[in-house]
Amino acid sequence: MNKRAALVLGSLAWMMAGAFPASAGEWELSENGKYWTYCTSPGNPVEDEWIEDNGKIYYLDKNGRMKTGWVTNEDDGKKYYMGEDGAMCFNTFSKDDRYVGPEGTQIEAYDKYRKAVKSEIKKGTKKKKTNKQSDGLEPQQFYFVLSDLNLDGYSDLVVMEGTEERKSLVQISIWNQEEGKFLLSAEFDEPETGAARSNVYAGPEGETVWLELVEANGDMRLFQMADQEVQFKNIWTFVIEKDDWGSAEYRVNGHVEDREGWEEYMAEALKERGNTVLTGYLPATEENIKAQVDRVLTEDELDLW
């Protein structure tokens, strides 16, 4: 048995100490059909108690009525969520959109993250829509993906816009668990022509993430995000300019190189970047956002929150 399972079972066992066994009582519906009671004998309902019945946990209030929704346990001060059938719920979402963990209580940090993801997607798409509408242009489809970009265990957010065939980055936001919010890592202006492009790559060793920006004239910049970092750092810049005589001048990180040297550095940069493009983008519809954000946590994910 793992540590978390042991803690959960221990907590529930403590709550159920002194609870009535299933055979000690029966459920009875009130005459008006509005509430249930649990009676150890006819007309003798259990009051202000947590009970276990058929492997499920229930709470009866001071009037003997089975409670639903959020119930505060006076012994530990925690709020537990009881379903519409009165039984304590685990690893699910409450009717008021709070996440109920394996102990029957709310995982507030996860709820804060879920709310922040939805807000961040809305913020990015709203800004772009406003810009396009002011330019008299039709807004394109927005896409998003949740991926751990800085390898801290938490999924970060990348928003793009465009079509299935061609997308451009809108913004990249990194989740900071300590501050409990997303930090803006990169934000992108509208490309002036269709030739400009931007993309995110996973490094060959899987230890870094690269942001590639290619301008309409072919200039390229590569930014790297290292483990546990929040901001991208400019590692490579490739620019072709014209010298005073109109000849091509190749610059790598600001230094002039000959064509051969420029190509060697370019090959080195692309090798570091790798060829693994970040994938998994979904259209930013309410349905897709809910499916990706409102997920039941795995055992490993629970340890993060």
Side-chain angles (χ1 to χ4, degrees):
M1 180 184 298
N2 60 51
K3 182 179 179 182
R4 177 172 292 277
L7 288 173
V8 172
L9 292 178
S11 174
L12 296 183
W14 175 83
M15 280 189 59
M16 290 166 18
F20 298 92
S23 59
E26 293 184 359
W27 291 102
E28 294 184 4
L29 185 62
S30 63
E31 291 184 2
N32 60 13
K34 292 184 176 181
Y35 57 85
W36 288 89
T37 59
Y38 188 81
C39 299
T40 54
S41 59
N44 186 27
V46 174
E47 298 176 352
D48 193 22
E49 290 282 354
W50 294 90
I51 68 167
E52 184 273 338
D53 183 53
N54 288 328
K56 297 182 178 181
I57 303 171
Y58 302 84
Y59 177 69
L60 291 308
D61 68 13
K62 62 182 180 180
N63 297 313
R65 299 177 180 180
M66 181 190 76
K67 299 294 292 183
T68 61
W70 292 99
V71 176
T72 300
N73 178 25
E74 295 182 359
D75 291 323
D76 62 10
K78 295 181 179 179
K79 289 185 177 181
Y80 296 86
Y81 186 68
M82 323 302 286
E84 293 186 3
D85 63 351
M88 185 181 292
C89 297
F90 308 97
N91 302 313
T92 189
F93 294 91
S94 65
K95 291 184 69 175
D96 56 353
D97 195 34
R98 287 187 269 179
Y99 188 74
V100 184
E103 297 182 15
T105 58
Q106 179 187 4
I107 300 183
E108 295 184 22
Y110 183 47
D111 284 339
K112 192 171 187 178
Y113 171 79
R114 292 169 48 235
K115 183 177 180 180
V117 172
K118 295 173 183 178
S119 175
E120 202 70 14
I121 294 175
K122 184 177 180 180
K123 187 194 311 180
T125 58
K126 182 179 180 180
K127 178 178 179 181
K128 289 295 182 178
K129 285 179 180 178
T130 301
N131 289 344
K132 284 184 175 292
Q133 289 170 352
S134 65
D135 293 337
L137 301 175
E138 289 295 325
Q140 298 185 60
Q141 174 68 59
F142 290 92
Y143 300 83
F144 77 100
V145 65
L146 294 171
S147 180
D148 185 6
L149 301 181
N150 63 350
L151 305 180
D152 64 353
Y154 298 94
S155 291
D156 306 304
L157 174 67
V158 181
V159 178
M160 300 189 84
E161 68 168 333
T163 65
E164 284 291 345
E165 293 73 27
R166 187 178 187 280
K167 306 179 183 69
S168 60
L169 289 165
V170 173
Q171 71 179 57
I172 299 174
S173 302
I174 306 299
W175 177 253
N176 185 290
Q177 178 63 9
E178 189 173 315
E179 297 186 30
K181 65 180 182 180
F182 277 101
L183 302 179
L184 185 63
S185 180
E187 189 173 27
F188 306 86
D189 295 327
E190 294 285 344
E192 294 181 1
T193 72
R197 68 178 188 273
S198 54
N199 225 325
V200 178
Y201 289 79
E205 302 300 325
E207 297 178 354
T208 58
V209 168
W210 291 84
L211 168 62
E212 179 187 79
L213 301 181
V214 181
E215 302 295 339
N217 62 0
D219 292 349
M220 184 179 76
R221 290 173 174 80
L222 287 173
F223 302 80
Q224 183 190 69
M225 179 174 290
D227 187 9
Q228 308 295 316
E229 294 296 324
V230 174
Q231 299 297 331
F232 284 94
K233 181 180 180 181
N234 190 190
I235 304 298
W236 293 100
T237 299
F238 296 89
V239 176
I240 302 178
E241 299 177 342
K242 296 290 185 180
D243 61 19
D244 294 338
W245 295 273
S247 300
E249 188 174 75
Y250 300 90
R251 291 183 175 271
V252 179
N253 294 344
H255 301 289
V256 177
E257 302 285 343
D258 58 26
R259 179 62 182 269
E260 183 179 354
W262 191 84
E263 292 179 345
E264 289 178 354
Y265 279 119
M266 176 71 79
E268 180 182 346
L270 295 180
K271 183 178 180 180
E272 290 182 13
R273 183 208 67 183
N275 297 315
T276 306
V277 179
L278 182 64
T279 59
Y281 292 94
L282 295 172
T285 63
E286 291 293 335
E287 181 180 5
N288 286 335
I289 294 172
K290 182 175 179 59
Q292 293 297 306
V293 179
D294 298 339
R295 298 185 306 102
V296 173
L297 296 173
T298 66
E299 189 172 298
D300 290 338
E301 291 171 333
L302 281 167
D303 291 332
L304 292 171
W305 307 102

